[in-house]
Amino acid sequence: MKLLRTGAILILILLPYYPITENFFPPEAQVNQETFAAYIAICTGIFIAGFLLLRFCKPGSHSAGWLLFAMGLTTLVPLHLGPPREDAGLLTAAGIEQFRYGALMVAVLLLLRAGLKVISPPDTTLSKIILGMLCLMALLNLWDNYSSFRFSSGLKDWVAAGKNAEDFFPQFDFHMPWRTLARASLYVAAIALSFALFRQSAIRKWQFAVISIFCLTGIVFCVLCLLSAFQEYYFPFMVPAIALAPAYWLGIALLTNKQKNRGGI
């Protein structure tokens, strides 16, 4: 039974990131209006399978863990939609792209809510610092994804003004330093929450170490990406769903660890 439980946990860790949907929608056949409903149905099936696997592991009742688990599975929808449309094709796939960025905004809010539960009540210096980090993370990433959500509206206005759709994105100011900071802040938030939960004895030292190493690697690649003017190092650490992965793994750890007495931070 212990071996089966370990196997289930490993599957859960990889579940949002393994390209299951590419068996149905390969990269050369990107999800479109005709296949979007089927894609959502498959993602829903993966979500249900993940929940059943987690129930098999007899999870704890840590509410922040459940929020982080839901956050991680929410990100599988935008992650496997393929690269964002940044050309004239956006005009016919506006709803799909808005769904992508809407799902990422929901994921950010779930992360924020989970973080608030971890540090509640924020009555120590450390918890107040983490609170500030979480608020900055949420503001940056909500802006990042909402501005992307508005791409289709901006493109439609551009075309309505009689301009060529293919000229829209080359002239668009993406504010990449701010977007890079937004992605890096997701890693910082995961480190901060991991540290807080380690102080509370909710996760183990090796789990804190592994999550922190992954996050620090992600931050380094974000910086390298910015320094190279996005000519190198862009994938995978700058992808929002990947930047949210450490927080999802933190949720899995919270739910599958044996519960201990909660300490303070």
Side-chain angles (χ1 to χ4, degrees):
M1 180 60 72
K2 185 177 180 180
L3 185 61
L4 288 174
R5 186 174 185 272
T6 301
I9 292 172
L10 289 174
I11 293 172
L12 284 169
I13 289 171
L14 298 174
L15 189 62
Y17 314 106
Y18 189 80
I20 298 172
T21 59
E22 289 188 9
N23 293 315
F24 305 92
F25 307 101
E28 64 271 14
Q30 190 173 11
V31 177
N32 55 35
Q33 292 88 334
E34 288 73 31
T35 58
F36 184 62
Y39 175 79
I40 293 299
I42 293 169
C43 289
T44 302
I46 297 172
F47 197 108
I48 293 171
F51 176 78
L52 293 175
L53 270 176
L54 186 58
R55 295 300 300 177
F56 172 77
C57 296
K58 297 180 180 179
S61 57
H62 205 299
S63 57
W66 283 105
L67 288 166
L68 293 173
F69 174 73
M71 178 214 71
L73 291 189
T74 298
T75 63
L76 76 85
V77 178
L79 179 61
H80 300 299
L81 273 175
R85 293 170 174 86
E86 295 180 357
D87 53 28
L90 179 59
L91 290 171
T92 56
I96 294 175
E97 293 303 317
Q98 288 177 339
F99 193 94
R100 179 201 302 272
Y101 297 114
L104 288 171
M105 285 189 278
V106 169
V108 169
L109 292 173
L110 287 170
L111 173 56
L112 175 62
R113 181 59 179 153
L116 294 177
K117 284 188 171 292
V118 169
I119 64 172
S120 180
D123 52 5
T124 65
T125 300
L126 177 59
S127 62
K128 290 175 182 177
I129 291 173
I130 295 175
L131 176 61
M133 291 179 178
L134 289 172
C135 291
L136 179 61
M137 175 278 299
L139 288 173
L140 285 169
N141 284 278
L142 288 174
W143 164 80
D144 181 7
N145 289 297
Y146 181 72
S147 62
S148 299
F149 183 91
R150 296 282 301 168
F151 281 164
S152 57
S153 298
L155 179 57
K156 288 176 182 177
D157 292 341
W158 178 269
V159 172
K163 299 177 182 179
N164 188 339
E166 296 293 347
D167 295 332
F168 177 74
F169 283 103
Q171 61 80 46
F172 190 84
D173 185 358
F174 285 90
H175 301 287
M176 293 309 295
W178 287 105
R179 291 183 189 271
T180 303
L181 182 59
R183 313 293 166 82
S185 72
L186 294 173
Y187 294 114
V188 173
I191 293 174
L193 292 180
S194 297
F195 180 69
L197 288 163
F198 173 65
R199 290 280 298 269
Q200 296 171 7
S201 298
I203 64 171
R204 300 181 177 91
K205 182 183 293 186
W206 71 265
Q207 292 170 330
F208 168 59
V210 169
I211 289 172
S212 296
I213 290 170
F214 186 94
C215 289
L216 290 172
T217 303
I219 292 169
V220 168
F221 272 86
C222 286
V223 173
L224 290 174
C225 180
L226 184 61
L227 293 177
S228 69
F230 295 84
Q231 298 303 309
E232 300 179 76
Y233 308 111
Y234 189 81
F235 293 102
F237 291 100
M238 277 287 288
V239 176
I242 300 300
L244 286 163
Y248 167 70
W249 296 330
L250 182 59
I252 297 296
L254 280 174
L255 293 172
T256 56
N257 286 348
K258 291 182 178 179
Q259 298 297 302
K260 300 179 180 179
N261 292 331
R262 174 171 170 152
I265 61 169

